[in-house]
Amino acid sequence: IKTILSGFIIRGYLGKWTLIIKTVTLVLAVSSGLSLGKEGPLVHVACCCGNILCHLFTKYRKNEAKRREVLSAAAAAGVSVAFGAPIGGVLFSLEEVSYYFPLKTLWRSFFAALVAAFTLRSINPFGNSRLVLFYVEFHTPWHLLELVPFILLGIFGGLWGSFFIRSNIAWCRRRKTTKLGKYPVLEVLIVTAITAVLAFPNEYTRMSTSELISELFNDCGLLDFSKLCEYVNDFNSTKGDDLPDRAAGPGVYTAMWQLALALILKVFITIFTFGMKVPSGLFIPSMAVGAIVGRLLGVGMEQLAYYHHDWTIFSGWCSQGADCITPGLYAMVGAAACLGGVTRMTVSLVVIMFELTGGLEYIVPLMAAAMTSKWVADAIGREGIYDAHIRLNGYPFLEAKEEFSHKTLAMDVMRPRRNDPVLTVLTQDSMTVEDVEAIINETTYSGYPVVVSRESQRLVGFVLRRDLIISIENARKKQDGIVSTSIIYFTDHSPPLPPSSPSMLKLRSILDLSPFTVTDQTPMEIVVDIFRKLGLRQCLVTHNGKLLGIITKKDVLKHIAQMANQDPDSILFN
């Protein structure tokens, strides 16, 4: 979807069949208990709905740019439904998905996300009148010294994120290049079987991942009967709701090692699950890994504070019998850190997390963890999981965040090069239907420049292959006297014809009279910027008004790869 929004068309990717199949299979995949989430697929489903709705309105059907704005808003609505986080959804679309995000798209996305969240709230899917499954309320404030474990969680999140991206990409590359890719159904069955066998004995992997996260975020009260809350109760008076820090009972220790085993399983099984041929999101599994680590660290800190409350680090703020440390908060921070390490989100991540949990006073710990995890992960490998998969699939995507700083010119990149055959062009008033059909059959280009004549090579416009084929077919069916020797005119006025000649075919209406052009001396830095900002697919190169060549998005990508000393042919476009 990121690639589509950057101005590339992948046919059938947002069609009605995709929507129907994805909706049905997403339900089955999530309920199967595999280690995957529902957020990514829901963004895809929302974009399919947006795209299908676009076809109903002429304004959007005809205009590719307007349609992309609708898709940006749809992505926001998708996250808004997946997480019950409308504002987080808008920021996610802005930070992660969208390529070009003008202000009017911002408030339209906001409106779309609002309607989505409102609809979700009126259906009330979880029966707890909340938009999310794991809503928590913590009451204890956090202390400044707790930032140290929060930052440690951030470091863990960054390390896990980059480890996950590397392993997952290596496995997916393996799937692409070896025989493994030919048996997708078998692969899914094997991974599901392994997941089932390994996950069933442990109660924390047996429950659904959302329930697991919900339990890890939970702050233990008096009436909680989960193992995580089996503390030794040796106090007489209970003042209000918040229980003092207590010694861990046998249940907590059992829960700790079961969680440690669950962590190992989640870490490794997610690598093989994400990227299989089933709809799989990544948010929930990453959050589960982070939440487990956070909860383990939180309980550790709590016991440390309970047994050593006279240490200097605890003495100022943690007296005996006080409730100083909330393990659930650590789980929440850990979840944010791991999610940040994998996706490299910052702003939208923090907003999604506090919308999910309603914990407004914990913005600073969340920000600290999210920033640390991004820094650590960026230090190890530059790209997030989405960019890594875009590169693995060889989609023509121009990264908007990187600078192009080489001194090359447009003439160095354009084709045809010195020894290539000349550029295929159409002339405006001297080619017959037969000539044009021959050019269409011999070449596979998706468009052709139109010039005044072969001698002058002065540029008139650009015509798309698809439009040419459709127009010629229609003319042969519906117009009288159109034969192979009919002359095609791209001009405004056509000269009077001698009575014996066949009638002419006027195609001025399908000609793009304002194709994007640069001169041969334009620095590539500017050309790359034009491609990025406008989401162009091709751009013509002229010299004193004469057509010299053409630069496509793929040429730009190959040139960037060449300048970075990579093999330009390694950028596959499948």
Side-chain angles (χ1 to χ4, degrees):
I1 284 174
K2 227 171 147 162
T3 312
I4 290 175
L5 286 176
S6 80
F8 185 68
I9 290 175
I10 304 176
R11 301 221 172 278
Y13 189 77
L14 296 175
K16 54 181 179 300
W17 280 114
T18 317
L19 173 66
I20 295 167
I21 294 167
K22 192 101 174 188
T23 311
V24 175
T25 48
L26 176 60
V27 174
L28 299 172
V30 172
S31 56
S32 70
L34 284 168
S35 179
L36 43 83
K38 59 180 187 300
E39 297 63 37
L42 273 174
V43 171
H44 186 178
V45 164
C47 286
C48 288
C49 296
N51 187 46
I52 291 166
L53 286 174
C54 279
H55 285 300
L56 305 178
F57 303 97
T58 333
K59 175 178 170 187
Y60 293 102
R61 192 171 55 233
K62 290 275 166 52
N63 189 333
E64 193 59 41
K66 285 241 179 289
R67 187 183 313 171
R68 278 183 221 156
E69 289 178 19
V70 174
L71 293 182
S72 295
V79 174
S80 161
V81 172
F83 270 147
I87 301 172
V90 176
L91 290 173
F92 174 77
S93 177
L94 167 66
E95 187 175 12
E96 272 300 314
V97 189
S98 299
Y99 199 71
Y100 167 64
F101 204 85
L103 261 177
K104 64 170 191 272
T105 311
L106 181 72
W107 71 259
R108 284 171 183 179
S109 303
F110 181 70
F111 180 68
L114 161 77
V115 174
F118 177 75
T119 315
L120 188 70
R121 174 67 186 78
S122 53
I123 296 170
N124 194 6
F126 302 117
N128 60 0
S129 68
R130 300 261 184 232
L131 292 178
V132 276
L133 202 49
F134 25 86
Y135 187 86
V136 281
E137 288 178 88
F138 302 131
H139 302 295
T140 17
W142 55 280
H143 192 266
L144 202 59
L145 285 169
E146 287 188 271
L147 274 180
V148 178
F150 293 152
I151 285 171
L152 286 175
L153 283 174
I155 293 172
F156 170 79
L159 293 172
W160 183 73
S162 39
F163 162 74
F164 174 79
I165 291 170
R166 292 213 170 160
S167 334
N168 181 255
I169 291 295
W171 177 248
C172 289
R173 182 171 291 122
R174 193 151 178 175
R175 181 187 294 129
K176 264 187 144 54
T177 49
T178 57
K179 281 195 176 158
L180 180 68
K182 291 182 185 143
Y183 307 107
V185 178
L186 188 65
E187 184 195 1
V188 172
L189 290 175
I190 291 172
V191 172
T192 312
I194 294 172
T195 309
V197 169
L198 294 178
F200 189 75
N202 184 340
E203 66 173 294
Y204 289 110
T205 43
R206 196 184 319 159
M207 57 170 81
S208 84
T209 320
S210 300
E211 281 175 37
L212 170 65
I213 295 174
S214 168
E215 185 154 320
L216 293 168
F217 281 5
N218 184 24
D219 189 13
C220 287
L222 265 180
L223 304 171
D224 282 324
F225 293 113
S226 78
K227 272 196 202 158
L228 277 173
C229 295
E230 270 193 37
Y231 288 94
V232 179
N233 293 327
D234 55 356
F235 48 87
N236 310 325
S237 64
T238 53
K239 299 188 293 292
D241 285 341
D242 42 343
L243 301 169
D245 284 353
R246 300 163 285 171
V252 175
Y253 289 116
T254 321
M256 288 298 100
W257 68 259
Q258 283 186 339
L259 279 176
L261 289 176
L263 173 71
I264 296 168
L265 174 68
K266 287 273 181 221
V267 163
F268 288 105
I269 207 78
T270 311
I271 293 171
F272 300 106
T273 313
F274 185 69
M276 284 196 313
K277 299 284 181 278
V278 287
S280 54
L282 194 59
F283 278 36
I284 296 283
S286 320
M287 283 172 68
V289 167
I292 293 175
V293 171
R295 187 78 190 205
L296 294 173
L297 182 67
V299 173
M301 285 288 292
E302 184 186 45
Q303 296 307 305
L304 201 64
Y306 175 77
Y307 286 114
H308 303 284
H309 53 82
D310 46 353
W311 283 8
T312 28
I313 47 169
F314 296 122
S315 59
W317 52 287
C318 197
S319 53
Q320 192 169 5
D323 176 20
C324 338
I325 286 174
T326 316
L329 170 63
Y330 284 75
M332 175 171 138
V333 173
C338 281
L339 191 47
V342 174
T343 58
R344 310 294 157 90
M345 303 189 296
T346 46
V347 187
S348 47
L349 173 69
V350 173
V351 175
I352 286 176
M353 285 308 292
F354 77 70
E355 276 191 279
L356 271 186
T357 52
L360 273 173
E361 40 193 288
Y362 305 115
I363 291 182
V364 176
L366 287 171
M367 284 167 77
M371 268 332 292
T372 317
S373 80
K374 182 177 163 59
W375 282 332
V376 171
D378 276 349
I380 301 174
R382 279 312 304 251
E383 42 190 19
I385 186 79
Y386 305 131
D387 300 328
H389 271 280
I390 284 176
R391 220 189 54 209
L392 177 71
N393 288 333
Y395 294 144
F397 179 75
L398 267 175
E399 184 52 72
K401 296 173 184 126
E402 288 167 17
E403 295 290 315
F404 180 84
S405 54
H406 305 284
K407 296 278 179 280
T408 45
L409 300 175
M411 58 195 285
D412 305 329
V413 181
M414 71 173 196
R415 291 185 311 188
R417 301 279 161 77
R418 290 248 164 77
N419 311 328
D420 290 358
V422 291
L423 188 67
T424 311
V425 293
L426 309 178
T427 56
Q428 66 173 2
D429 52 8
S430 59
M431 292 180 83
T432 61
V433 171
E434 195 173 28
D435 300 339
V436 173
E437 282 179 333
I439 285 180
I440 289 174
N441 294 333
E442 284 161 20
T443 59
T444 54
Y445 307 128
S446 53
Y448 305 95
V450 178
V451 294
V452 175
S453 67
R454 300 230 177 243
E455 295 73 52
S456 77
Q457 288 284 337
R458 297 189 89 76
L459 181 65
V460 180
F462 191 81
V463 65
L464 288 176
R465 173 198 189 92
R466 201 178 49 191
D467 296 346
L468 262 182
I469 296 175
I470 293 171
S471 304
I472 292 178
E473 271 178 18
N474 287 350
R476 280 188 182 252
K477 281 182 204 153
K478 295 176 186 161
Q479 249 173 289
D480 291 337
I482 298 290
V483 287
S484 295
T485 51
S486 305
I487 291 185
I488 292 183
Y489 282 97
F490 288 107
T491 51
D492 251 345
H493 307 292
S494 39
L497 287 179
S500 57
S501 64
S503 61
M504 58 189 173
L505 176 55
K506 286 183 166 181
L507 293 182
R508 174 82 167 183
S509 57
I510 62 166
L511 182 65
D512 175 10
L513 288 167
S514 55
F516 220 93
T517 56
V518 295
T519 63
D520 54 345
Q521 295 299 316
T522 311
M524 262 326 274
E525 194 178 355
I526 293 178
V527 177
V528 171
D529 233 24
I530 291 173
F531 270 90
R532 272 183 195 151
K533 298 272 190 331
L534 301 177
L536 290 186
R537 280 154 64 210
Q538 77 275 326
C539 166
L540 300 171
V541 183
T542 59
H543 175 73
N544 296 348
K546 282 170 74 171
L547 178 67
L548 282 188
I550 186 168
I551 299 178
T552 63
K553 188 170 212 165
K554 294 176 185 179
D555 295 331
V556 175
L557 282 160
K558 282 183 180 162
H559 181 66
I560 292 178
Q562 225 170 342
M563 289 287 139
N565 295 330
Q566 296 164 348
D567 169 24
D569 297 325
S570 69
I571 302 188
L572 303 165
F573 300 104
N574 7 359

